[in-house]
Amino acid sequence: MTLLSWIFPYKFFNDGRAPLLTVELPVAPFAGNSDATSTTFGFYMFDSIYWIETLSLVFLMCLLNGAASTITYKFIIEPKLTAKSIPVSTFLLAFGLIIPFWLLYVPDYAVQLFDVRNKVQTFCFVGIVPNLVAFRTVEALFDCTPSYAKESMASYAFYSVNPMILKRSESGFVRATIRDTL
């Protein structure tokens, strides 16, 4: 139990919901268990507390990714915009500090800090955020970041937080199609 475990108080170990509808289906004798003659399936209503916690987890992941994007913009993109050549320190910072920190340290620490035990929520902390941060850092390092994302720290943070590819139009950001990405 940690100080911030109150953010995710429900651990979802056991599903205490009652099924809305149950259906009993016969079991074929070749299904592995010759003793059972039928199997019961239940249909459940969604658990609103689980989805509220998952949405708050997504918001928290966006905040963590936004913090990482400010570091990436300040120490990798800004020096590349002002300098004529890429300083060696940006490579050292990216491959020696930012990427290992986000891939090795942050996932385990965040799961322990918030006491997240649900497998889907743990996957979000361990799989999505660190890999997205590593990808966006390498993208910024090798100058593959779109030009609209380099305009300001806020536009880069917005670009970095979104895992889907966006394009900029007169009306704002819209989701890019496959033709736009090619």
Side-chain angles (χ1 to χ4, degrees):
M1 190 85 165
T2 63
L3 183 63
L4 295 176
S5 64
W6 61 270
I7 294 176
F8 301 107
Y10 302 101
K11 303 303 171 205
F12 304 107
F13 289 132
N14 298 321
D15 194 0
R17 299 175 293 164
L20 296 174
L21 173 71
T22 57
V23 177
E24 190 170 331
L25 299 174
V27 174
F30 57 84
N33 188 1
S34 60
D35 297 339
T37 57
S38 65
T39 301
T40 304
F41 295 97
F43 295 95
Y44 294 88
M45 183 68 176
F46 72 93
D47 189 1
S48 59
I49 295 173
Y50 172 77
W51 288 105
I52 289 170
E53 275 195 5
T54 303
L55 286 174
S56 64
L57 175 85
V58 167
F59 180 72
L60 184 64
M61 289 188 314
C62 287
L63 289 176
L64 287 172
N65 200 347
S69 68
T70 58
I71 294 168
T72 302
Y73 185 83
K74 190 72 177 162
F75 294 108
I76 294 176
I77 293 179
E78 263 188 2
K80 287 178 71 175
L81 291 175
T82 58
K84 292 182 181 177
S85 64
I86 302 170
V88 176
S89 61
T90 58
F91 285 98
L92 291 174
L93 179 71
F95 290 117
L97 186 65
I98 295 175
I99 294 174
F101 177 74
W102 281 93
L103 287 179
L104 301 175
Y105 181 71
V106 171
D108 185 47
Y109 183 71
V111 168
Q112 289 178 8
L113 182 69
F114 297 109
D115 198 24
V116 177
R117 297 186 187 175
N118 183 273
K119 290 180 182 179
V120 173
Q121 293 173 343
T122 303
F123 173 75
C124 290
F125 262 126
V126 173
I128 296 174
V129 173
N131 290 317
L132 188 60
V133 168
F135 174 72
R136 297 292 191 213
T137 303
V138 170
E139 184 181 57
L141 192 62
F142 292 105
D143 207 24
C144 297
T145 305
S147 58
Y148 64 83
K150 296 179 196 177
E151 291 175 358
S152 68
M153 189 180 293
S155 63
Y156 183 73
F158 180 75
Y159 168 75
S160 181
V161 166
N162 288 304
M164 61 185 159
I165 299 172
L166 301 173
K167 72 174 183 176
R168 194 172 190 175
S169 67
E170 293 80 25
S171 60
F173 289 99
V174 293
R175 186 168 184 186
T177 61
I178 292 177
R179 176 173 267 175
D180 294 330
T181 59
L182 299 176

